[in-house]
Amino acid sequence: MANLSFVDQLKQQAREIADKAIQAQKEADAAQKAIDDADTFKKVSALKTLHVLQSAVEKLIKHGLLTYDRAEVYITKSVLVYGRDKTINEYLRLATLLLTQENFGVESTTARYGNKGLLWHGQSYESAEALYAAVQEVIGDDPLESVQWIYSILDSVFSNDPSAIVYACSTIGRFEAYANLYRREVKEAKEPLSVPDLSQITSDDAFLLSSFFGQF
């Protein structure tokens, strides 16, 4: 730079700094692309793996062979890929598949399923609550913590058109409307009764309500 003027030296230094900045940005972009590609590959891999697990679980249900351990692997992977909320819908779909399966689905020996006549996988169940516990032994603990969805599924199974629920639970997308319905019914079942303020009722009525609910 001995023959360059001070201004030219500054310009050349500026160009060199700019070139280095451009090169640094290119290297940073390449590194980020590698990270993005690796992240994309990881996500695609997880999704493909989940789809394989889903197909396997559905086949196991079809042959009455789904076990708790295998269901747990699938449910855990689903939470990682889809998140908890969507996995709750899938949990309900698996329960519905178990109870509607052509060869191993639930039956009732009585006109109304609440009259101790439920049969499933060769076992008798005196109540929907007992069946609810048995289903959890296969697909794990209920994330909604409510027996209500078993009643909802049984209502669909023993409706005038049981083929509708069978068709719906054949895919995740088709089942979404039923899952949302069942979850609304669970939410409604959990809502406490609306009790009037004590100032709005007589002391006799307040005592009646207190006695009825066992709150002496």
Side-chain angles (χ1 to χ4, degrees):
M1 295 185 181
N3 297 325
L4 297 177
S5 67
F6 180 70
V7 173
D8 289 336
Q9 290 178 22
L10 291 177
K11 289 181 179 180
Q12 184 167 333
Q13 289 176 353
R15 284 195 295 271
E16 291 174 353
I17 292 172
D19 289 341
K20 289 181 180 179
I22 292 173
Q23 182 60 32
Q25 185 61 50
K26 287 181 179 179
E27 293 174 356
D29 290 343
Q32 185 60 52
K33 184 177 184 302
I35 293 173
D36 291 343
D37 288 346
D39 188 52
T40 298
F41 180 79
K42 184 177 180 180
K43 290 179 179 178
V44 171
S45 173
L47 188 59
K48 288 182 177 180
T49 299
L50 183 64
H51 287 165
V52 172
L53 292 174
Q54 177 187 331
S55 296
V57 165
E58 289 175 352
K59 287 186 177 180
L60 288 168
I61 290 175
K62 182 177 181 180
H63 297 290
L65 298 174
L66 182 63
T67 61
Y68 175 89
D69 290 342
R70 284 171 169 166
E72 183 182 35
V73 171
Y74 175 53
I75 291 294
T76 300
K77 190 65 174 179
S78 179
V79 172
L80 292 174
V81 175
Y82 287 141
R84 184 176 184 275
D85 190 69
K86 190 170 182 179
T87 300
I88 290 176
N89 286 2
E90 181 62 354
Y91 179 94
L92 293 174
R93 189 178 79 92
L94 293 184
T96 307
L97 281 171
L98 287 169
L99 296 176
T100 59
Q101 208 287 317
E102 182 179 3
N103 297 317
F104 301 97
V106 67
E107 298 177 86
S108 179
T109 60
T110 58
R112 292 177 174 81
Y113 69 77
N115 290 330
K116 300 182 179 181
L118 291 172
L119 296 174
W120 183 59
H121 274 250
Q123 300 293 322
S124 299
Y125 298 93
E126 292 192 352
S127 66
E129 288 84 354
L131 180 64
Y132 168 71
V135 169
Q136 290 183 83
E137 290 178 0
V138 179
I139 59 175
D141 293 340
D142 170 18
L144 294 176
E145 299 181 339
S146 172
V147 71
Q148 175 57 47
W149 56 261
I150 276 286
Y151 288 111
S152 299
I153 293 174
L154 291 175
D155 285 341
S156 299
V157 171
F158 297 117
S159 69
N160 292 328
D161 184 19
S163 63
I165 187 62
V166 173
Y167 175 76
C169 67
S170 60
T171 69
I172 295 175
R174 290 172 185 161
F175 187 72
E176 186 175 0
Y178 276 93
N180 292 336
L181 171 63
Y182 296 164
R183 292 177 70 169
R184 283 198 303 272
E185 291 176 343
V186 167
K187 183 179 179 181
E188 290 171 0
K190 288 183 176 181
E191 290 178 353
L193 291 173
S194 177
V195 179
D197 186 89
L198 292 179
S199 63
Q200 299 175 324
I201 58 178
T202 66
S203 58
D204 288 342
D205 287 335
F207 181 76
L208 175 64
L209 290 176
S210 179
S211 300
F212 182 84
F213 292 111
Q215 298 173 357
F216 292 98

